[in-house]
């Protein structure tokens, strides 16, 4: 099988396995996803969800993040790690969205990348989940699993994204990324993948 055939099989199997492809970060408003994604850098989604449950009540809108006392915001997000850098970028990005984009999240990659602390991974997450556009979110699960499937030999997120764009149907790309995360946690773990139980083992290069 070629890479395109493997990618389509992976899409099909993961869709059967996880029919409800949902983002693992909890949010109600588009800007909340952006903030949660910023907090998730070097932190588990589970911990981020614990922190944001309180955080989004304390700061109920974008303006409240823009006006936040920086020292207090640092303490509010401290459990997520790298809290000084994250607090500074969250406050700045809130101001950027209000001042530069009339309070609305941008809907293009180029504009999203102008926001403080937002890289391609988070920008792709927003493009897929908020704007329902094609998106390849290259988190650690995605890089590990697409490598094991033989879809890419790269480890750098931007290169992995470039390799996968022609392989995954655009309309399935965002959901595929969410399913990869669930699959990585349940089957294709970093240290001890459950290859003998894996529903993808009949075409996986790693197995």
């Amino acid at each position: 099988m070629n890479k395109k055939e493997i990618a389509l099989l992976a899409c099909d199997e993961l869709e059967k396995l996880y029919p409800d492809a949902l983002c693992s970060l909890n949010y109600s408003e588009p800007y909340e996803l952006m903030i949660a994604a910023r907090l998730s850098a070097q932190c588990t989604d589970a911990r981020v969800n614990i922190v944001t449950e309180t955080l989004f009540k304390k700061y109920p809108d974008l303006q409240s993040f823009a006006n936040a006392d920086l020292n207090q915001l640092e303490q509010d997000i401290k459990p997520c790690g790298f809290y000084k850098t994250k607090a500074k970028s969250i406050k700045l990005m809130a101001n950027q969205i209000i001042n530069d984009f009339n309070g609305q999240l941008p809907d293009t990659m180029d504009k999203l990348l102008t926001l403080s602390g937002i890289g391609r991974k988070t920008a792709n997450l927003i493009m897929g989940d908020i704007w329902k556009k094609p998106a390849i979110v290259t988190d650690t699960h995605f890089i590990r699993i697409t490598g094991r499937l033989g879809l890419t030999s790269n480890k750098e997120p931007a290169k992995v994204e470039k390799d996968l764009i022609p392989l995954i149907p655009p309309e399935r790309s965002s959901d595929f990324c969410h399913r990869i995360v669930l699959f990585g946690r349940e089957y294709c773990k970093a240290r001890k993948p459950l290859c003998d139980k894996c529903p993808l083992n009949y075409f996986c290069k790693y197995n």
Side-chain angles (χ1 to χ4, degrees):
M1 286 186 289
N2 60 37
K3 289 182 179 181
K4 183 76 172 182
E5 291 169 330
I6 292 172
L8 291 175
L9 273 175
C11 284
D12 291 342
E13 291 293 349
L14 291 177
E15 192 171 328
K16 293 177 196 172
L17 200 59
Y18 310 106
D20 299 319
L22 300 174
C23 180
S24 55
L25 294 169
N26 296 335
Y27 68 97
S28 299
E29 300 294 332
Y31 74 85
E32 290 180 350
L33 175 59
M34 178 190 67
I35 290 171
R38 181 68 186 96
L39 292 175
S40 71
Q42 306 299 312
C43 181
T44 65
D45 290 352
R47 175 164 291 187
V48 171
N49 286 337
I50 293 171
V51 170
T52 55
E53 184 175 2
T54 302
L55 187 73
F56 293 153
K57 290 175 183 175
K58 183 172 183 178
Y59 303 93
D61 53 35
L62 197 58
Q63 190 67 59
S64 60
F65 278 105
N67 296 339
D69 177 80
L70 188 58
N71 290 328
Q72 183 57 58
L73 184 57
E74 288 174 359
Q75 296 306 308
D76 292 333
I77 66 169
K78 194 171 184 178
C80 294
F82 300 96
Y83 59 95
K84 288 185 179 292
T85 302
K86 291 178 181 180
K88 184 178 179 180
S89 64
I90 287 170
K91 183 176 169 67
L92 179 54
M93 72 170 70
N95 277 284
Q96 286 177 293
I97 292 170
I98 291 169
N99 296 326
D100 300 342
F101 300 105
N102 298 315
Q104 298 295 320
L105 271 186
D107 62 354
T108 69
M109 176 65 72
D110 288 345
K111 290 179 180 178
L112 284 167
L113 291 176
T114 67
L115 299 175
S116 176
I118 301 300
R120 289 194 67 86
K121 185 178 82 168
T122 299
N124 268 305
L125 180 65
I126 292 168
M127 290 291 284
D129 273 49
I130 303 302
W131 300 117
K132 309 304 178 187
K133 296 183 178 182
I136 298 290
V137 183
T138 52
D139 64 3
T140 54
H141 291 291
F142 191 90
I143 294 170
R144 178 178 75 253
I145 294 165
T146 54
R148 286 176 174 175
L149 287 170
L151 300 178
T152 179
S153 58
N154 286 304
K155 300 294 183 184
E156 293 179 35
K159 290 182 179 179
V160 173
E161 179 186 347
K162 186 177 180 180
D163 288 344
L164 269 291
I165 286 174
L167 301 181
I168 306 297
E171 70 279 5
R172 303 177 78 179
S173 58
S174 181
D175 287 347
F176 178 73
C177 295
H178 288 320
R179 291 178 176 123
I180 281 279
V181 172
L182 299 173
F183 176 70
R185 289 173 180 162
E186 186 174 359
Y187 291 97
C188 202
K189 301 176 183 182
R191 293 187 179 180
K192 292 184 178 180
L194 307 179
C195 295
D196 57 327
K197 299 178 181 178
C198 176
L200 277 59
N201 63 14
Y202 69 96
F203 60 84
C204 178
K205 300 291 186 183
Y206 186 82
N207 183 59

